[in-house]
Amino acid sequence: MGLTHIDQHGRASMVDVTGKQLSVREAKAEGFIQMSESAFRMLLEQKHKKGDVLATARIAGIQGAKKCADLIPLCHPLALTKVAVDFELIPQSHQVRVYSLCKLQGQTGVEMEALTAVSVALLTLFDMCKAEDPMMEIYGVRVLAKSGGKSGDWERTE
């Protein structure tokens, strides 16, 4: 099988999905940010100077998913019907898990949108907390599951 984003002349090309069947597509992704105890405590107590960190990161993640085609070359602009960004606060390790869900009925998958939602939310958390802890670490950004389309459904099992 050849590369899908390269034309017969070796040039970058957006994949033509015109003939693909419409199906409900869904993708879930996650990522983590680890911060100092003081930065985490400020997050819990909503004491960061930039305001409501989690609310801002949620909105940023949703906006990121909607702008994915503007950020990632050759991604199709998609009419997303659902974008959700949620957080799990992990006090014992001063981490925040960011989780996203993207969904639509269309001709191509939404994995890139789910990954972008997580990434932008994590970057926003970093930006809003960096005054207290510039040494934070973002890691573990990955797709957890996808459904719909010709390649079928799968879910990360580890």
Side-chain angles (χ1 to χ4, degrees):
M1 178 182 217
L3 299 173
T4 60
H5 286 80
I6 304 294
D7 70 12
Q8 66 269 23
H9 305 291
R11 297 180 299 224
S13 175
M14 182 188 270
V15 174
D16 183 358
V17 297
T18 307
K20 291 177 83 174
Q21 293 292 319
L22 288 175
S23 69
V24 174
R25 314 286 185 125
E26 183 176 295
K28 299 173 184 174
E30 73 175 353
F32 297 83
I33 186 166
Q34 185 159 16
M35 60 187 66
S36 67
E37 182 179 358
S38 62
F40 191 82
R41 187 173 50 256
M42 289 175 76
L43 179 70
L44 285 175
E45 297 170 1
Q46 294 191 6
K47 300 266 173 128
H48 282 283
K49 292 179 182 178
K50 291 190 175 184
D52 189 337
V53 174
L54 295 178
T56 304
R58 177 176 284 114
I59 293 167
I62 292 167
Q63 286 296 104
K66 291 164 56 177
K67 292 290 191 178
C68 185
D70 294 334
L71 300 169
I72 310 294
L74 310 180
C75 274
H76 294 87
L78 302 179
L80 295 166
T81 57
K82 174 69 176 171
V83 179
V85 175
D86 290 305
F87 306 97
E88 176 187 357
L89 303 177
I90 309 169
Q92 59 271 29
S93 56
H94 315 120
Q95 295 178 52
V96 179
R97 175 186 180 247
V98 178
Y99 170 85
S100 73
L101 164 75
C102 291
K103 191 173 183 180
L104 59 68
Q105 182 168 332
Q107 296 165 294
T108 188
V110 291
E111 296 92 336
M112 294 309 299
E113 288 72 15
L115 288 167
T116 302
V118 165
S119 298
V120 172
L122 286 165
L123 290 169
T124 302
L125 288 171
F126 191 100
D127 180 54
M128 294 187 75
C129 299
K130 70 180 183 253
E132 180 64 24
D133 181 10
M135 301 299 289
M136 289 175 287
E137 183 178 350
I138 293 171
Y139 65 96
V141 176
R142 62 189 185 162
V143 175
L144 296 173
K146 66 87 66 189
S147 63
K150 187 172 72 171
S151 63
D153 303 352
W154 66 266
E155 188 169 344
R156 190 174 292 279
T157 57
E158 81 253 9

